[in-house]
Amino acid sequence: MQHMDGTIFVIMGVTGDLATRKLIPALHELLKDGHLQKCAIIGVANDQTATIDSILEKSKSFIPEPNSDVLQKIRDVFVYQPFDFNDQSGYQKLKVTLENLESQFGFSGQRIFYLSVMPDYFAPITQNLALAGIIKKGDNSRIAYEKPFGHNLASAKSINKAIHSVFDESQIYRVDHFLGKELVDNIALVRFTNLFLQPLWNHQYIDNIQIFLNEEIDINHRGAFYDRYGALRDVVQNHMLQLLALIAMEPPKALDGQHIRDAKSAVLQCVKVEDVIKGQYAGYRTESGVNPNSTTETFAALRLSIENDRWTGVPFYLKTGKCLRAKNTSIHITFKSAQCMVSTPCPPPQNHLIINIDPAHGFALEINAKVSGYSNQIAPVPMTFCHSKLCPNSPEAYETLLFDIMKGDQSAFVRFDEIEHSWAIIDAAHAQHPETPPTIYEKGSQGPDELKIWAEKYNFVWRD
Ligand code: NAP
């Protein structure tokens, strides 16, 4: 078992939703499993009334099986330090606390700063940490930034510039928690370790690729945040374009962090936006925190092309939305039809490779087989692999990601150039039909009616 010792985690935004529901529970699991043994935790937020006990108590309900010894261990090494992120004197106090903890526990200075805060704070917090002398370029510290990383290409570039003045890229971990999910981690492995897939993975054999991130839930009390971002910026820029990059990238020289990131960045640079549908669920404008005249999209569908030899002529359809009929995150690769031989129907059904990420976890390959009996009829049959049956105790994404940061493994984190190429795609999507307001769709539906028009216009079948 691998384990890391002597790390101080500094969680900026420790009283927030993400820290409460995901980060503290992930640290609990890492300590419980022995992957983390010696650590200290400093939590920073604004709230002067919060205490270590109130923070841990809130988080406890999100820990699947809380262990009282582990919770006590966390309490013993936890310091809560309230200050405003814009207040320079707070960082001086933080520096003293870090040095005291390192000397008390005999740690040699591995510090992980996790910015679980809005992107507007990424540059100021990073620069304030440097100004206070807490971090230096090339030292032993690492810094993680939550998504979304900026608001558009210009803001992402400006954050990258500001943080590169303080940190080397090798110290920077831009988080996209989808990359910590086991099934997503599996995509490159499945593609490049199964030889039979490799000759098929191109425009000669693939008809179209569809990526879905359909949510049943609404904006869940995040109105003020969501109304500034919308579906394209909230999930397409990061999760969905990362899935596309893993599916579409050229074979990396090796399946390691640097080479996978090189390959993802190269393919993202070739993506072109062909068409966009934007929708808004009925009733969105009356949600708390939302502008009553809002034109923010809660639904987006994109038709993308990739301008390189492998993918010429293969459309990539990305579709996501809130308040849709059913939760479904999956990737569907539709192969071209085989020739008409003796089978009925003719041509035979297309084969599909499906990667189910949420709520199902696994792969399915739909192949054609003879229907039992004397006719020549064929029908698709699924060959399935259910990940949760084979690996029932897979770690949660944030557990894997925190462990990777401790190890210094950047494979599951997004490099500055990938982020910038993705934002260029989102800016281009927003620039299409800028005057057209999003179409209103009913809650619990599949999304706006334009989806049907696309299916006819582009001659394909939606797979969700
Ligand atoms: P949140 O609930 O609003 O928490 C924000 C945290 O930042 C709170 O601890 C808040 O402290 C602190 N904070 C805000 N302004 C501050 C200031 N000026 N000085 C000191 N502390 C300040 O947000 P969240 O949902 O946890 O999200 C954090 C980040 O993670 C965001 O970028 C979000 O997009 C991203 N993210 C969240 C989720 C999720 O499920 N929540 C998922 C993926 C990514 P006080 O409460 O004391 O003000």
Side-chain angles (χ1 to χ4, degrees):
M1 182 190 297
Q2 265 187 301
H3 61 81
M4 302 285 151
D5 285 343
T7 302
I8 301 196
F9 292 91
V10 181
I11 303 178
M12 309 299 270
V14 75
T15 55
D17 179 67
L18 183 73
T20 305
R21 289 192 306 109
K22 298 290 180 186
L23 299 178
I24 295 171
L27 287 171
H28 173 278
E29 295 305 295
L30 286 167
L31 279 160
K32 192 166 94 179
D33 296 346
H35 291 314
L36 176 63
Q37 295 198 335
K38 290 193 210 152
C39 75
I41 303 163
I42 304 176
V44 180
N46 220 357
D47 187 348
Q48 301 289 333
T49 62
T51 62
I52 299 174
D53 286 328
S54 69
I55 293 168
L56 293 182
E57 193 51 38
K58 241 185 1 161
S59 223
K60 197 172 152 188
S61 54
F62 297 99
I63 299 172
E65 288 174 26
N67 175 305
S68 52
D69 291 342
V70 176
L71 284 169
Q72 186 57 46
K73 200 167 172 178
I74 294 179
R75 211 206 165 288
D76 293 344
V77 297
F78 198 111
V79 176
Y80 177 55
Q81 188 128 44
F83 65 85
D84 190 301
F85 294 147
N86 299 311
D87 173 14
Q88 199 29 250
S89 68
Y91 295 84
Q92 295 299 341
K93 288 184 207 136
L94 177 62
K95 183 172 192 256
V96 174
T97 307
L98 275 160
E99 287 165 357
N100 286 345
L101 285 173
E102 276 161 0
S103 107
Q104 179 188 345
F105 293 121
F107 292 172
S108 57
Q110 187 184 41
R111 297 168 176 181
I112 295 176
F113 298 87
Y114 198 109
L115 272 55
S116 180
V117 300
M118 290 298 286
D120 303 344
Y121 285 118
F122 290 174
I125 292 178
T126 311
Q127 284 166 333
N128 281 331
L129 288 168
L131 272 175
I134 293 174
I135 50 179
K136 284 193 204 77
K137 210 169 195 167
D139 70 6
N140 208 6
S141 47
R142 295 176 187 152
I143 190 156
Y145 299 95
E146 255 305 328
K147 66 118 228 185
F149 193 88
H151 188 256
N152 53 20
L153 177 59
S155 60
K157 277 189 167 175
S158 143
I159 298 171
N160 275 332
K161 191 169 170 211
I163 66 177
H164 279 150
S165 69
V166 174
F167 280 113
D168 279 335
E169 183 64 27
S170 62
Q171 296 173 277
I172 297 172
Y173 294 75
R174 294 176 195 79
V175 176
D176 181 335
H177 67 267
F178 259 51
L179 299 179
K181 289 180 185 270
E182 289 266 305
L183 253 297
V184 176
D185 203 19
N186 239 316
I187 294 174
L189 279 176
V190 168
R191 266 193 71 188
F192 299 113
T193 60
N194 290 296
L195 190 63
F196 77 94
L197 286 176
Q198 294 187 19
L200 304 179
W201 212 262
N202 55 52
H203 67 96
Q204 274 179 292
Y205 295 98
I206 292 181
D207 185 277
N208 72 77
I209 295 184
Q210 300 179 32
I211 302 177
F212 301 111
L213 201 166
N214 296 343
E215 296 184 275
E216 265 181 291
I217 53 167
D218 61 17
I219 52 171
N220 199 14
H221 312 297
R222 293 164 73 220
F225 163 84
Y226 196 89
D227 207 38
R228 270 187 72 202
Y229 278 80
L232 285 165
R233 294 187 172 101
D234 188 35
V235 297
V236 181
Q237 183 273 331
N238 33 72
H239 306 326
M240 298 190 82
L241 287 175
Q242 281 295 317
L243 294 179
L244 174 142
L246 287 166
I247 289 290
M249 68 186 178
E250 291 302 307
K253 288 200 183 99
L255 284 182
D256 61 26
Q258 186 204 325
H259 293 104
I260 291 179
R261 284 155 33 129
D262 287 346
K264 283 193 292 164
S265 175
V267 77
L268 286 169
Q269 222 175 338
C270 303
V271 173
K272 289 279 167 299
V273 179
E274 305 272 331
D275 208 347
V276 179
I277 300 172
K278 287 191 218 166
Q280 191 183 75
Y281 65 79
Y284 170 74
R285 291 175 193 175
T286 58
E287 300 273 17
S288 150
V290 170
N291 176 344
N293 301 313
S294 175
T295 55
T296 299
E297 77 288 350
T298 61
F299 173 99
L302 282 85
R303 178 180 151 99
L304 304 173
S305 60
I306 297 182
E307 296 186 342
N308 64 15
D309 289 348
R310 183 182 293 273
W311 296 115
T312 309
V314 180
F316 284 72
Y317 296 100
L318 272 51
K319 172 177 176 279
T320 182
K322 296 278 185 194
C323 294
L324 294 182
R325 193 166 62 197
K327 182 178 167 122
N328 170 11
T329 304
S330 56
I331 303 171
H332 294 245
I333 295 146
T334 297
F335 291 88
K336 292 188 172 167
S337 294
Q339 273 186 331
C340 236
M341 308 283 274
V342 287
S343 59
T344 312
C346 206
Q350 290 168 287
N351 301 120
H352 300 279
L353 174 64
I354 302 144
I355 302 170
N356 286 311
I357 297 167
D358 221 3
H361 310 289
F363 294 89
L365 181 62
E366 283 181 9
I367 62 166
N368 293 319
K370 186 175 175 299
V371 174
S372 166
Y374 299 107
S375 76
N376 268 337
Q377 270 205 314
I378 54 163
V381 285
M383 296 169 65
T384 54
F385 153 62
C386 175
H387 182 81
S388 37
K389 276 197 187 136
L390 196 70
C391 319
N393 298 318
S394 296
E396 244 264 80
Y398 277 95
E399 220 178 304
T400 310
L401 293 173
L402 286 179
F403 190 52
D404 284 349
I405 301 173
M406 289 191 287
K407 285 187 297 178
D409 178 352
Q410 292 183 303
S411 348
F413 298 86
V414 187
R415 207 168 58 191
F416 73 98
D417 45 348
E418 294 177 70
I419 289 267
E420 293 182 8
H421 297 321
S422 304
W423 275 121
I425 298 165
I426 298 304
D427 285 359
H430 272 297
Q432 290 227 350
H433 325 301
E435 307 306 328
T436 318
T439 311
I440 305 297
Y441 62 95
E442 290 307 314
K443 287 185 179 178
S445 70
Q446 286 286 60
D449 288 343
E450 284 113 301
L451 292 173
K452 292 184 196 120
I453 299 171
W454 267 26
E456 280 173 30
K457 181 169 151 192
Y458 297 123
N459 189 25
F460 74 104
V461 178
W462 287 106
R463 296 271 309 154
D464 62 333

Coordinates of all heavy atoms in Angstrom, one line a residue, residues 94-161:
L94 N -1.4 33.0 8.6 CA -1.4 31.6 8.0 C 0.0 31.1 7.9 O 0.3 29.9 8.2 CB -2.0 31.6 6.6 CG -2.0 30.4 5.8 CD1 -2.8 29.3 6.5 CD2 -2.6 30.6 4.4
K95 N 1.0 32.0 7.6 CA 2.4 31.6 7.5 C 2.9 31.1 8.8 O 3.5 30.0 8.9 CB 3.2 32.8 7.0 CG 4.7 32.5 6.8 CD 5.3 33.8 6.2 CE 6.7 33.4 5.7 NZ 7.8 33.9 6.5
V96 N 2.5 31.8 9.9 CA 3.0 31.4 11.2 C 2.4 30.1 11.6 O 3.1 29.2 12.1 CB 2.6 32.5 12.3 CG1 2.9 32.1 13.7 CG2 3.3 33.9 11.9
T97 N 1.1 29.9 11.3 CA 0.4 28.6 11.6 C 1.1 27.5 10.9 O 1.3 26.4 11.5 CB -1.1 28.7 11.2 OG1 -1.6 29.8 11.8 CG2 -1.8 27.5 11.7
L98 N 1.4 27.7 9.6 CA 2.1 26.6 8.8 C 3.4 26.2 9.5 O 3.7 25.1 9.7 CB 2.3 27.1 7.4 CG 1.2 26.9 6.4 CD1 1.3 27.9 5.2 CD2 1.1 25.5 5.9
E99 N 4.2 27.3 9.8 CA 5.5 27.0 10.4 C 5.4 26.3 11.7 O 6.2 25.4 12.0 CB 6.3 28.3 10.5 CG 6.8 28.7 9.1 CD 7.2 30.2 9.0 OE1 7.2 30.9 10.0 OE2 7.6 30.6 7.9
N100 N 4.4 26.7 12.5 CA 4.3 26.1 13.8 C 3.9 24.7 13.7 O 4.4 23.8 14.4 CB 3.2 26.8 14.7 CG 3.7 28.2 15.2 OD1 4.9 28.4 15.2 ND2 2.8 29.0 15.6
L101 N 3.0 24.4 12.8 CA 2.5 23.0 12.6 C 3.7 22.1 12.1 O 3.9 21.0 12.6 CB 1.3 22.9 11.6 CG 0.0 23.4 12.2 CD1 -1.1 23.4 11.0 CD2 -0.5 22.5 13.3
E102 N 4.4 22.7 11.2 CA 5.6 21.9 10.6 C 6.6 21.6 11.7 O 7.1 20.5 11.8 CB 6.2 22.6 9.4 CG 5.4 22.3 8.2 CD 5.7 23.3 7.0 OE1 6.4 24.3 7.2 OE2 5.0 23.1 6.0
S103 N 6.8 22.6 12.6 CA 7.8 22.3 13.6 C 7.2 21.3 14.7 O 7.8 20.4 15.2 CB 8.3 23.6 14.2 OG 7.9 23.9 15.4
Q104 N 5.9 21.5 15.0 CA 5.2 20.7 16.0 C 5.2 19.2 15.6 O 5.5 18.3 16.3 CB 3.8 21.2 16.2 CG 3.0 20.4 17.2 CD 1.5 20.8 17.2 OE1 1.2 21.9 16.7 NE2 0.7 20.0 17.8
F105 N 4.9 19.0 14.2 CA 4.8 17.6 13.8 C 6.1 17.0 13.1 O 6.1 15.9 12.7 CB 3.6 17.5 12.8 CG 2.3 17.7 13.4 CD1 1.4 18.7 13.0 CD2 1.8 16.9 14.5 CE1 0.2 18.9 13.6 CE2 0.6 17.1 15.1 CZ -0.2 18.1 14.6
G106 N 7.1 17.9 12.9 CA 8.3 17.5 12.3 C 8.1 17.2 10.8 O 8.8 16.3 10.2
F107 N 7.3 18.0 10.1 CA 7.1 17.9 8.7 C 8.2 18.7 7.9 O 8.6 19.7 8.4 CB 5.7 18.4 8.3 CG 4.6 17.6 8.8 CD1 3.3 18.0 8.6 CD2 4.7 16.4 9.4 CE1 2.2 17.3 9.0 CE2 3.7 15.6 9.9 CZ 2.4 16.1 9.7
S108 N 8.4 18.2 6.7 CA 9.5 18.9 6.0 C 9.0 19.8 4.9 O 9.8 20.2 4.0 CB 10.5 17.9 5.4 OG 9.7 17.0 4.6
G109 N 7.8 20.2 4.9 CA 7.3 21.3 4.1 C 6.6 20.9 2.8 O 6.5 21.8 1.9
Q110 N 6.0 19.7 2.8 CA 5.1 19.5 1.6 C 3.7 20.1 2.0 O 3.0 19.7 2.9 CB 4.9 18.0 1.3 CG 4.0 17.9 0.0 CD 3.7 16.5 -0.4 OE1 3.3 15.6 0.4 NE2 3.7 16.2 -1.7
R111 N 3.4 21.2 1.2 CA 2.2 21.9 1.5 C 1.3 21.8 0.2 O 1.8 22.1 -0.9 CB 2.5 23.4 1.7 CG 3.3 23.6 3.0 CD 3.9 25.0 3.0 NE 4.6 25.3 4.3 CZ 5.2 26.4 4.6 NH1 5.0 27.5 3.7 NH2 5.8 26.6 5.7
I112 N 0.0 21.5 0.5 CA -0.9 21.4 -0.6 C -2.0 22.5 -0.4 O -2.7 22.4 0.6 CB -1.5 20.0 -0.8 CG1 -0.4 19.1 -1.2 CG2 -2.7 20.0 -1.8 CD1 -0.8 17.6 -1.3
F113 N -2.1 23.4 -1.3 CA -3.1 24.5 -1.2 C -4.3 24.1 -2.1 O -4.1 23.9 -3.3 CB -2.6 25.8 -1.5 CG -1.5 26.3 -0.6 CD1 -0.1 25.9 -0.9 CD2 -1.7 27.0 0.5 CE1 0.9 26.2 0.0 CE2 -0.7 27.3 1.4 CZ 0.6 27.0 1.1
Y114 N -5.5 23.9 -1.5 CA -6.6 23.5 -2.4 C -7.6 24.7 -2.4 O -8.2 25.1 -1.4 CB -7.3 22.3 -1.8 CG -8.2 21.6 -2.8 CD1 -7.8 20.4 -3.4 CD2 -9.4 22.2 -3.3 CE1 -8.6 19.8 -4.3 CE2 -10.2 21.6 -4.2 CZ -9.8 20.4 -4.7 OH -10.5 19.8 -5.7
L115 N -7.7 25.3 -3.6 CA -8.6 26.5 -3.7 C -10.0 26.1 -4.1 O -10.3 26.0 -5.3 CB -8.0 27.5 -4.7 CG -7.0 28.5 -4.1 CD1 -5.9 27.8 -3.4 CD2 -6.5 29.5 -5.2
S116 N -10.8 25.8 -3.1 CA -12.2 25.4 -3.3 C -13.1 26.7 -3.2 O -13.9 26.9 -2.3 CB -12.6 24.4 -2.2 OG -13.9 24.0 -2.3
V117 N -12.8 27.6 -4.2 CA -13.4 28.9 -4.2 C -13.8 29.3 -5.6 O -13.3 28.6 -6.5 CB -12.4 30.0 -3.6 CG1 -12.0 29.6 -2.2 CG2 -11.2 30.1 -4.5
M118 N -14.5 30.4 -5.7 CA -14.8 30.9 -7.1 C -13.5 31.3 -7.8 O -12.6 31.8 -7.2 CB -15.8 32.1 -7.0 CG -17.2 31.7 -6.5 SD -18.0 30.5 -7.6 CE -18.4 31.7 -8.9
P119 N -13.5 31.2 -9.2 CA -12.3 31.5 -9.9 C -11.9 32.9 -9.8 O -10.7 33.2 -10.0 CB -12.7 31.2 -11.4 CG -14.2 30.9 -11.4 CD -14.6 30.6 -10.0
D120 N -12.8 33.8 -9.4 CA -12.3 35.2 -9.3 C -11.3 35.4 -8.2 O -10.5 36.3 -8.2 CB -13.5 36.1 -8.8 CG -14.7 36.1 -9.8 OD1 -14.5 35.6 -10.9 OD2 -15.8 36.4 -9.4
Y121 N -11.2 34.4 -7.3 CA -10.2 34.4 -6.2 C -8.9 33.7 -6.6 O -7.9 33.8 -5.8 CB -10.8 33.8 -4.9 CG -11.8 34.7 -4.2 CD1 -13.1 34.2 -4.1 CD2 -11.4 35.9 -3.7 CE1 -14.0 35.0 -3.4 CE2 -12.4 36.7 -3.0 CZ -13.6 36.3 -2.9 OH -14.6 37.0 -2.3
F122 N -8.8 33.0 -7.7 CA -7.7 32.2 -8.0 C -6.4 33.0 -8.0 O -5.4 32.7 -7.3 CB -7.8 31.4 -9.3 CG -8.8 30.3 -9.3 CD1 -9.1 29.6 -10.5 CD2 -9.5 29.9 -8.1 CE1 -10.0 28.6 -10.5 CE2 -10.4 28.9 -8.2 CZ -10.7 28.2 -9.3
A123 N -6.4 34.1 -8.8 CA -5.2 34.9 -8.9 C -4.9 35.7 -7.6 O -3.8 35.6 -7.1 CB -5.3 35.9 -10.1
P124 N -5.9 36.4 -7.0 CA -5.5 37.1 -5.8 C -5.0 36.2 -4.7 O -4.0 36.6 -4.0 CB -6.9 37.8 -5.4 CG -7.8 37.6 -6.5 CD -7.3 36.7 -7.5
I125 N -5.6 35.0 -4.5 CA -5.2 34.2 -3.4 C -3.7 33.7 -3.7 O -2.9 33.8 -2.8 CB -6.1 33.0 -3.2 CG1 -7.4 33.4 -2.6 CG2 -5.5 32.0 -2.2 CD1 -8.5 32.3 -2.4
T126 N -3.5 33.3 -4.9 CA -2.2 32.8 -5.3 C -1.1 33.9 -5.0 O 0.0 33.7 -4.5 CB -2.1 32.4 -6.8 OG1 -3.3 31.5 -7.0 CG2 -0.9 31.6 -7.1
Q127 N -1.5 35.1 -5.5 CA -0.5 36.2 -5.4 C -0.3 36.6 -3.9 O 0.8 36.9 -3.5 CB -0.9 37.4 -6.2 CG -0.6 37.0 -7.7 CD -1.2 37.9 -8.7 OE1 -2.3 38.5 -8.4 NE2 -0.6 38.1 -9.9
N128 N -1.4 36.6 -3.1 CA -1.2 36.9 -1.7 C -0.4 35.8 -0.9 O 0.4 36.2 0.0 CB -2.6 37.0 -1.0 CG -3.3 38.3 -1.3 OD1 -2.6 39.3 -1.5 ND2 -4.6 38.4 -1.4
L129 N -0.5 34.6 -1.3 CA 0.3 33.5 -0.7 C 1.8 33.8 -1.0 O 2.6 33.6 -0.1 CB -0.1 32.1 -1.3 CG -1.4 31.6 -0.8 CD1 -1.8 30.3 -1.6 CD2 -1.4 31.2 0.7
A130 N 2.1 34.2 -2.2 CA 3.5 34.5 -2.6 C 4.0 35.8 -1.9 O 5.1 35.8 -1.3 CB 3.6 34.7 -4.1
L131 N 3.1 36.8 -1.8 CA 3.5 38.0 -1.2 C 3.9 37.8 0.3 O 4.8 38.4 0.8 CB 2.4 39.1 -1.2 CG 2.3 39.9 -2.5 CD1 1.0 40.8 -2.4 CD2 3.5 40.8 -2.5
A132 N 3.1 36.9 0.9 CA 3.4 36.6 2.3 C 4.6 35.7 2.5 O 4.9 35.4 3.7 CB 2.1 36.0 3.0
G133 N 5.2 35.3 1.5 CA 6.4 34.4 1.6 C 6.0 33.0 1.9 O 6.8 32.2 2.4
I134 N 4.7 32.6 1.7 CA 4.3 31.2 2.1 C 4.7 30.2 1.0 O 5.0 29.1 1.3 CB 2.7 31.2 2.3 CG1 2.4 32.0 3.5 CG2 2.2 29.8 2.4 CD1 0.9 32.2 3.7
I135 N 4.7 30.7 -0.3 CA 5.1 29.8 -1.4 C 6.1 30.5 -2.3 O 6.1 31.7 -2.4 CB 3.8 29.4 -2.2 CG1 3.1 30.7 -2.6 CG2 3.0 28.5 -1.5 CD1 1.9 30.4 -3.5
K136 N 6.9 29.7 -2.9 CA 7.9 30.2 -3.8 C 8.0 29.3 -5.0 O 7.7 28.1 -4.9 CB 9.3 30.2 -3.2 CG 9.6 31.3 -2.2 CD 11.1 31.4 -1.8 CE 11.3 32.0 -0.5 NZ 11.0 31.1 0.6
K137 N 8.3 29.9 -6.2 CA 8.3 29.1 -7.4 C 9.3 27.9 -7.2 O 10.4 28.2 -6.7 CB 8.8 30.0 -8.6 CG 8.3 29.6 -9.9 CD 8.5 30.6 -11.0 CE 7.6 30.3 -12.1 NZ 7.5 31.3 -13.1
G138 N 8.9 26.7 -7.6 CA 9.8 25.6 -7.5 C 10.0 25.0 -6.2 O 10.8 24.1 -6.0
D139 N 9.3 25.5 -5.1 CA 9.5 24.9 -3.8 C 8.6 23.6 -3.7 O 8.1 23.1 -4.7 CB 9.1 25.9 -2.7 CG 7.7 26.2 -2.6 OD1 6.9 25.6 -3.3 OD2 7.3 27.1 -1.8
N140 N 8.5 23.1 -2.5 CA 7.9 21.8 -2.3 C 6.3 21.9 -2.2 O 5.7 20.9 -1.9 CB 8.4 21.3 -0.9 CG 8.4 19.8 -0.8 OD1 8.1 19.2 -1.8 ND2 8.7 19.3 0.4
S141 N 5.7 23.1 -2.6 CA 4.3 23.2 -2.4 C 3.6 22.9 -3.7 O 4.2 23.1 -4.8 CB 3.9 24.5 -1.8 OG 4.6 25.5 -2.4
R142 N 2.3 22.5 -3.6 CA 1.5 22.3 -4.8 C 0.2 23.1 -4.6 O -0.3 23.3 -3.5 CB 1.2 20.8 -5.0 CG 2.5 20.1 -5.2 CD 2.3 18.6 -5.3 NE 3.7 18.1 -5.4 CZ 4.1 16.9 -5.0 NH1 3.2 16.1 -4.5 NH2 5.3 16.5 -5.2
I143 N -0.5 23.4 -5.7 CA -1.7 24.2 -5.6 C -2.8 23.6 -6.5 O -2.5 23.3 -7.7 CB -1.5 25.7 -5.8 CG1 -2.7 26.5 -5.4 CG2 -1.0 26.0 -7.2 CD1 -2.4 28.0 -5.0
A144 N -4.0 23.4 -6.0 CA -5.1 22.9 -6.8 C -6.1 23.9 -6.9 O -6.5 24.6 -6.0 CB -5.6 21.7 -6.1
Y145 N -6.7 24.1 -8.2 CA -7.7 25.0 -8.5 C -8.9 24.2 -8.9 O -8.9 23.4 -9.8 CB -7.3 26.0 -9.6 CG -6.1 26.8 -9.3 CD1 -4.8 26.4 -9.7 CD2 -6.2 28.0 -8.6 CE1 -3.7 27.1 -9.4 CE2 -5.1 28.7 -8.3 CZ -3.8 28.3 -8.7 OH -2.7 29.1 -8.4
E146 N -10.1 24.6 -8.3 CA -11.3 23.9 -8.7 C -11.8 24.4 -10.0 O -11.3 25.4 -10.5 CB -12.4 24.2 -7.6 CG -12.7 23.0 -6.7 CD -13.1 21.7 -7.5 OE1 -13.7 21.8 -8.5 OE2 -12.8 20.6 -7.0
K147 N -12.7 23.7 -10.6 CA -13.3 24.2 -11.8 C -14.5 25.0 -11.5 O -15.1 24.9 -10.4 CB -13.7 23.0 -12.8 CG -14.8 22.1 -12.2 CD -16.0 22.1 -13.1 CE -17.3 22.3 -12.5 NZ -18.6 22.3 -12.8
P148 N -15.0 26.0 -12.2 CA -14.5 26.3 -13.5 C -13.3 27.2 -13.4 O -13.2 28.0 -12.5 CB -15.7 27.1 -14.1 CG -16.4 27.7 -13.0 CD -16.2 26.7 -11.9
F149 N -12.3 27.0 -14.4 CA -11.1 27.8 -14.4 C -11.3 29.0 -15.3 O -11.0 29.0 -16.5 CB -9.9 26.9 -14.9 CG -8.6 27.5 -14.6 CD1 -7.9 27.2 -13.4 CD2 -8.0 28.3 -15.6 CE1 -6.7 27.8 -13.2 CE2 -6.7 28.8 -15.4 CZ -6.1 28.6 -14.2
G150 N -11.9 30.0 -14.7 CA -12.2 31.2 -15.5 C -13.6 31.3 -16.0 O -14.4 30.4 -15.6
H151 N -13.9 32.2 -16.9 CA -15.2 32.4 -17.4 C -15.3 32.4 -18.9 O -16.3 32.2 -19.5 CB -15.6 33.8 -16.8 CG -17.1 34.2 -17.0 ND1 -17.5 35.0 -18.0 CD2 -18.2 33.7 -16.4 CE1 -18.8 35.1 -18.0 NE2 -19.2 34.3 -17.0
N152 N -14.1 32.6 -19.5 CA -14.0 32.6 -20.9 C -12.5 32.5 -21.2 O -11.7 32.5 -20.3 CB -14.6 33.8 -21.6 CG -14.1 35.1 -21.0 OD1 -13.0 35.1 -20.4 ND2 -14.8 36.2 -21.1
L153 N -12.1 32.6 -22.5 CA -10.7 32.4 -22.9 C -9.9 33.5 -22.3 O -8.8 33.3 -21.7 CB -10.5 32.4 -24.4 CG -9.1 32.3 -24.9 CD1 -8.4 31.0 -24.3 CD2 -9.0 32.3 -26.4
A154 N -10.3 34.8 -22.3 CA -9.5 35.9 -21.8 C -9.3 35.8 -20.3 O -8.1 35.9 -19.9 CB -10.3 37.2 -22.2
S155 N -10.3 35.4 -19.6 CA -10.1 35.3 -18.1 C -9.2 34.1 -17.8 O -8.4 34.2 -16.8 CB -11.4 35.2 -17.4 OG -12.2 34.1 -17.8
A156 N -9.4 33.0 -18.5 CA -8.5 31.8 -18.2 C -7.0 32.2 -18.5 O -6.1 31.8 -17.7 CB -8.9 30.6 -19.1
K157 N -6.8 32.9 -19.6 CA -5.4 33.3 -19.9 C -4.9 34.2 -18.8 O -3.7 34.1 -18.4 CB -5.4 34.0 -21.3 CG -5.4 33.1 -22.5 CD -5.1 33.9 -23.7 CE -4.8 33.0 -24.9 NZ -4.7 33.6 -26.1
S158 N -5.7 35.1 -18.4 CA -5.2 36.0 -17.4 C -4.9 35.3 -16.0 O -3.9 35.6 -15.4 CB -6.3 37.2 -17.2 OG -6.4 37.6 -16.0
I159 N -5.8 34.3 -15.7 CA -5.5 33.5 -14.4 C -4.2 32.7 -14.6 O -3.3 32.7 -13.8 CB -6.6 32.6 -14.1 CG1 -7.9 33.4 -13.8 CG2 -6.3 31.8 -12.8 CD1 -9.1 32.5 -13.6
N160 N -4.1 32.1 -15.8 CA -2.8 31.3 -16.1 C -1.6 32.2 -15.9 O -0.6 31.8 -15.4 CB -2.9 30.7 -17.5 CG -3.7 29.3 -17.4 OD1 -3.7 28.7 -16.4 ND2 -4.3 29.0 -18.5
K161 N -1.7 33.4 -16.5 CA -0.5 34.3 -16.5 C -0.2 34.6 -15.0 O 1.0 34.6 -14.6 CB -0.8 35.6 -17.3 CG 0.3 36.4 -17.5 CD 0.0 37.5 -18.6 CE 1.2 38.5 -18.6 NZ 0.7 39.8 -18.9

